[in-house]
Amino acid sequence: MKRTRRSGFSLVEVLIALTILGLLTINIAMVSRTGSQAAESDLFRQLLDTEMDLTLDRIKLALMSASADNVYPQVPAPASESHIDFSTSLGVQGGVHVMGDPERIQWTPATAEKGGVFWTQSLGLPDERQIQWSRNVPILQNLETANERDDNDNGLVDEPGLSLHVEHAEDRELQVFVNLTVSKTDSRGQVVPRSRQVNITCRN
Amino acid sequence: MRIRTQHSSRRGAALISALMLVAAVATLGAGLVQVSSVSTRRQNLSIDTVRALYVAEAALSEAYFAVAQGRGGTLASDTEPAEFGGGFYWVEAEDLPDKQVRLTATGLHGRGKFTLGLVLNRSINRVAAMGVCGLKDVTIGPGAVVDSQVSDGLRGLLGQLLSPLQPSVHTNVRSNGDITIYGPDPLLGGSPTTIRGNVHAGPEGIVDADPSVLVTGAVTSSSRGLTLPTFTIPKLGGSSGNFTFPKGKDEATLAADSYFDTFSIPAGKTVTLQGPMRLRADSLLVGTGARLIIDTTNGPIGIYTLKRTIFEAGSMLDSVVPDPTQCSIFALTPDENDRSLVTLGAKGEFYGMLVAPRALVNIPGDLHMVGSVVAESLYVGPAAQLSYAEDLEEGGYGVKMTPTLISWQILEVPDSPLTRGPGSIDEKLQKLAIPTVPTKDSPLETDVELKYYDNGGVFRVYTGPVAAVPWGNVLRVDRVAWYIGATLQPEQKPSIVIDAVDTMRGTVDAVVKPLG
């Protein structure tokens, strides 16, 4: 009589396999967790950068067409302001240079710690229009504290999260310097700030 | 008896499960790639749009250069765009009234597109447009009159007779600092000090005017300061020493370029400067009883002095031709720390521009000056009369006439086969078989009609390709007119061409930097 062979795994083999699988799974989980945290932070920074770049692009396009004579206030460094009033050129009609309705870019507080950047046209008038360009702008620039000192070595003192100051170039062109900080708290409770400065020449 | 094992009934199940798992993971992966590529494409579009903005700005610069050369300003077209910096552009120029031109530049780069608009004054004399100007300060004495005059002298005179109080918007008294205007002494009487136009102090200056002063225009402080362009002092082949008046004669004429250390006219003598010519002197002195006549009948006259320009009281200064665009006096000091002195104490009537960026200019009461004055400090004496000539804004000897910006704006991208639909500009050019041109071939103009004075001072006209212009024999360019195909365009007074001539011929001795 022939003996039949039974297939399968013994208990010891299964236990060893499960142990090895468990260790592998823990390792994979740790690596993927670190990777996903890094990806999440990176994505978080990218989104903040996108918000900052979009806001700065809008400020740039608005101020490029502004007339230097209509920009107010014209505050030179180390002081700065968190708003700017201007008018942009609509072209020439009948030989006369036509300027658009007055516009304003300003930082408006929303909470005790941060606010938003708003663009307003015809401020205070019946046809006033307002668009919010950013909502995560803190009260002060990154690394700056209100102590009448230039803490972040950028030539400005106690500058706000949206700070604007001007310089007259050698040929008398008006240059507006915009410093913008956006910041948000990530899932781990850390505040992530992103800052950039752009320099815009008023073409009119 | 064979016993079938369990294994054979399950053969192939693992393969199907593995395939399904791979398919699921592949689908997830494809989804992630899609999301990532959309994000990348959005970023690339943003970058391409910024690049298109830069290409459009470069196109506007090219068009500005073309306008400065006297060309129309149109560059390439949407059916044959010009290539620049990895992108493509075209510019449409539209002539407007009052010598203005509208330039619309469209720039394309990758998938980005941007359109900018610029309105320019074709050529304006920026120095003369300053009017009556003292860069540091202006003082106007009691009883002085500052008004304006147009080329039709009768029209100007009638206008003033019919409405003497009508504001003349083209008269401007300007400064980067303070402007002080004195009224006549109430005890001594006298005619009122009158400014027929506007008075503009500097950004941090004030206008201090006596209550009796009559200003018919606006009194303001400018938000921007004034700057002067760079001036060049012609070499003129070296100094001939001091000018010696011919013995036994009472009159002398200079009709060719002349360079002296001191150019002095003795009492009782008359010197006529006959254009076209240039006079250069370290010091120009016209004594009491002496007379200097400016005759621009045959051409313009430029007078360049480096230290002193003195017309003593009782001397005479007269212009034969009442055209202020034909004569300019430049009181220039190459050394930034030096100051020169200009006193126009002469009697008579002078038509022309006076440019003295580092000088104190004193215009006492006897000379009627028609033109414009730009000095470091300007003093207009009691009862003096200064008439600003509006013609100078479109003319003026010795000053570059540059196109002036009126407005700059962002426009909506126009509809054309190259701006319509998705896809990058390179794909569209290939698909539509649209040819492109290099930037240097983008202007529509081909040949040029150049009106110029040659080295001998003879007026000549050249017609033909720009590359064949005999620059070695060109002393000064007067006018240009460009050909588009066989059609001659309207004449223009260029500025860039003159610049090239001066640089090529090495006629520049020194460059006077303007005051800030």
Side-chain angles (χ1 to χ4, degrees):
Chain A
M1 193 165 97
K2 276 189 185 172
R3 200 176 164 180
T4 53
R5 192 179 170 192
R6 295 174 69 179
S7 61
F9 297 104
S10 69
L11 181 61
V12 171
E13 285 169 345
V14 168
L15 284 174
I16 291 171
L18 282 176
T19 307
I20 292 171
L21 272 172
L23 286 171
L24 276 173
T25 305
I26 289 168
N27 269 340
I28 290 168
M30 277 170 61
V31 167
S32 73
R33 188 179 166 212
T34 309
S36 86
Q37 275 178 355
E40 195 188 317
S41 308
D42 209 44
L43 183 64
F44 192 80
R45 270 200 303 273
Q46 271 188 26
L47 288 172
L48 268 186
D49 278 344
T50 303
E51 180 182 336
M52 181 174 61
D53 289 341
L54 271 175
T55 306
L56 283 173
D57 281 347
R58 285 168 178 148
I59 294 174
K60 248 193 291 192
L61 289 176
L63 287 175
M64 274 167 85
S65 311
S67 166
D69 289 333
N70 293 340
V71 170
Y72 181 82
Q74 294 190 13
V75 175
S80 60
E81 277 289 348
S82 60
H83 77 276
I84 193 162
D85 293 325
F86 58 98
S87 294
T88 57
S89 169
L90 296 180
V92 172
Q93 181 81 21
V96 176
H97 187 193
V98 179
M99 301 302 291
D101 291 330
E103 301 173 45
R104 172 179 281 196
I105 295 169
Q106 69 185 70
W107 176 85
T108 305
T111 65
E113 288 153 357
K114 63 167 69 171
V117 174
F118 288 82
W119 169 85
T120 311
Q121 190 179 48
S122 306
L123 180 69
L125 298 174
D127 55 346
E128 177 180 313
R129 293 196 301 156
Q130 190 176 73
I131 299 175
Q132 184 170 22
W133 284 345
S134 174
R135 62 184 75 202
N136 296 303
V137 180
I139 291 176
L140 289 173
Q141 283 285 315
N142 188 27
L143 303 177
E144 188 68 35
T145 47
N147 56 4
E148 294 180 10
R149 283 208 305 258
D150 180 11
D151 301 300
N152 53 11
D153 274 332
N154 64 356
L156 301 172
V157 171
D158 295 352
E159 68 278 18
L162 169 68
S163 99
L164 301 120
H165 72 275
V166 304
E167 215 173 87
H168 285 278
E170 202 179 281
D171 54 359
R172 293 305 191 186
E173 269 186 338
L174 182 70
Q175 291 189 332
V176 180
F177 291 80
V178 182
N179 285 267
L180 179 68
T181 294
V182 293
S183 71
K184 221 167 159 183
T185 307
D186 65 11
S187 55
R188 286 176 291 168
Q190 280 185 344
V191 175
V192 177
R194 306 295 286 166
S195 297
R196 190 162 298 170
Q197 183 194 70
V198 295
N199 146 14
I200 304 154
T201 304
C202 296
R203 274 23 176 210
N204 284 293
Chain B
M1 187 168 76
R2 287 184 75 170
I3 298 170
R4 288 188 70 185
T5 61
Q6 283 183 336
H7 293 56
S8 57
S9 65
R10 289 188 190 161
R11 196 174 296 159
L15 180 62
I16 293 169
S17 311
L19 279 174
M20 283 172 64
L21 191 63
V22 165
V25 169
T27 307
L28 273 172
L32 282 170
V33 164
Q34 180 73 3
V35 166
S36 167
S37 91
V38 163
S39 170
T40 306
R41 282 176 64 168
R42 192 169 59 225
Q43 282 181 351
N44 285 344
L45 176 62
S46 176
I47 292 170
D48 282 345
T49 303
V50 172
R51 285 183 177 153
L53 165 64
Y54 295 149
V55 170
E57 284 222 278
L60 278 184
S61 293
E62 281 293 313
Y64 177 97
F65 183 73
V67 169
Q69 287 185 310
R71 298 178 194 251
T74 297
L75 301 176
S77 66
D78 64 339
T79 53
E80 196 177 42
E83 203 177 324
F84 179 80
F88 300 87
Y89 70 85
W90 66 89
V91 181
E92 291 167 13
E94 179 196 347
D95 281 325
L96 302 175
D98 293 331
K99 281 200 170 186
Q100 293 176 1
V101 60
R102 177 182 287 125
L103 302 172
T104 307
T106 301
L108 304 168
H109 195 290
R111 292 172 197 274
K113 42 195 174 193
F114 220 101
T115 300
L116 298 173
L118 192 65
V119 177
L120 298 174
N121 232 319
R122 273 195 178 273
S123 61
I124 195 162
N125 184 339
R126 278 205 302 130
V127 176
M130 290 184 186
V132 174
C133 175
L135 294 168
K136 242 170 130 178
D137 53 70
V138 175
T139 306
I140 298 178
V145 174
V146 180
D147 57 15
S148 76
Q149 200 175 84
V150 295
S151 57
D152 183 351
L154 180 60
R155 178 160 58 93
L157 178 62
L158 269 179
Q160 285 178 27
L161 284 175
L162 289 172
S163 50
L165 295 182
Q166 187 176 11
S168 169
V169 296
H170 290 289
T171 303
N172 289 296
V173 177
R174 296 186 201 267
S175 177
N176 287 336
D178 298 333
I179 298 176
T180 308
I181 311 174
Y182 292 100
D185 190 320
L187 293 175
L188 298 175
S191 46
T193 310
T194 306
I195 313 290
R196 292 204 176 93
N198 307 312
V199 179
H200 303 291
E204 288 166 28
I206 55 164
V207 177
D208 181 11
D210 191 84
S212 66
V213 169
L214 174 64
V215 178
T216 61
V219 177
T220 65
S221 285
S222 302
S223 59
R224 290 198 254 196
L226 301 163
T227 54
L228 285 176
T230 308
F231 297 104
T232 54
I233 304 172
K235 258 185 180 163
L236 302 185
S239 173
S240 310
N242 294 333
F243 171 69
T244 312
F245 200 89
K247 279 187 186 161
K249 288 192 176 173
D250 289 332
E251 293 180 8
T253 300
L254 290 177
D257 285 351
S258 307
Y259 178 5
F260 302 103
D261 291 335
T262 300
F263 181 80
S264 175
I265 306 176
K269 307 293 184 188
T270 298
V271 170
T272 300
L273 300 181
Q274 207 169 68
M277 62 94 65
R278 292 173 291 180
L279 170 65
R280 172 176 166 169
D282 288 349
S283 297
L284 170 71
L285 304 165
V286 182
T288 304
R291 189 178 184 200
L292 179 65
I293 298 175
I294 309 286
D295 185 356
T296 55
T297 310
N298 297 324
I301 293 173
I303 300 173
Y304 298 83
T305 65
L306 272 65
K307 287 185 186 150
R308 291 184 304 163
T309 309
I310 307 285
F311 286 78
E312 289 179 0
S315 62
M316 279 168 284
L317 172 61
D318 288 302
S319 295
V320 171
V321 178
D323 184 354
T325 66
Q326 295 299 297
C327 178
S328 298
I329 300 175
F330 296 92
L332 305 171
T333 52
D335 187 339
E336 284 185 18
N337 298 318
D338 270 350
R339 290 296 178 271
S340 66
L341 179 63
V342 177
T343 300
L344 298 181
K347 286 186 226 178
E349 202 166 53
F350 170 66
Y351 283 75
M353 252 187 359
L354 171 60
V355 182
R358 277 196 283 272
L360 164 67
V361 172
N362 179 8
I363 305 179
D366 296 324
L367 179 71
H368 179 204
M369 181 163 170
V370 181
S372 81
V373 180
V374 178
E376 186 183 55
S377 282
L378 175 62
Y379 175 73
V380 181
Q385 188 178 2
L386 215 56
S387 298
Y388 172 67
E390 295 172 9
D391 289 347
L392 277 173
E393 288 186 11
E394 295 179 10
Y397 174 79
V399 177
K400 283 180 197 171
M401 303 280 292
T402 50
T404 311
L405 171 72
I406 298 177
S407 93
W408 184 102
Q409 56 175 150
I410 296 169
L411 298 172
E412 207 174 297
V413 177
D415 180 51
S416 91
L418 289 177
T419 59
R420 210 179 289 146
S424 73
I425 178 65
D426 302 289
E427 288 163 4
K428 287 177 194 170
L429 285 170
Q430 209 169 19
K431 189 174 156 192
L432 299 168
I434 291 178
T436 61
V437 294
T439 291
K440 66 176 178 64
D441 296 331
S442 59
L444 297 184
E445 297 83 0
T446 50
D447 292 353
V448 67
E449 181 188 88
L450 194 73
K451 293 182 178 174
Y452 65 98
Y453 291 92
D454 67 12
N455 292 337
V458 176
F459 182 77
R460 293 187 188 278
V461 179
Y462 164 85
T463 303
V466 176
V469 171
W471 291 115
N473 195 32
V474 175
L475 179 68
R476 183 172 55 82
V477 173
D478 188 44
R479 302 266 165 182
V480 292
W482 293 88
Y483 282 89
I484 296 181
T487 311
L488 187 64
Q489 304 303 304
E491 229 174 47
Q492 303 286 349
K493 197 171 172 70
S495 58
I496 300 298
V497 176
I498 295 172
D499 209 14
V501 170
D502 279 344
T503 306
M504 282 175 59
R505 288 176 48 79
T507 58
V508 172
D509 187 29
V511 170
V512 178
K513 285 192 178 167
L515 287 177

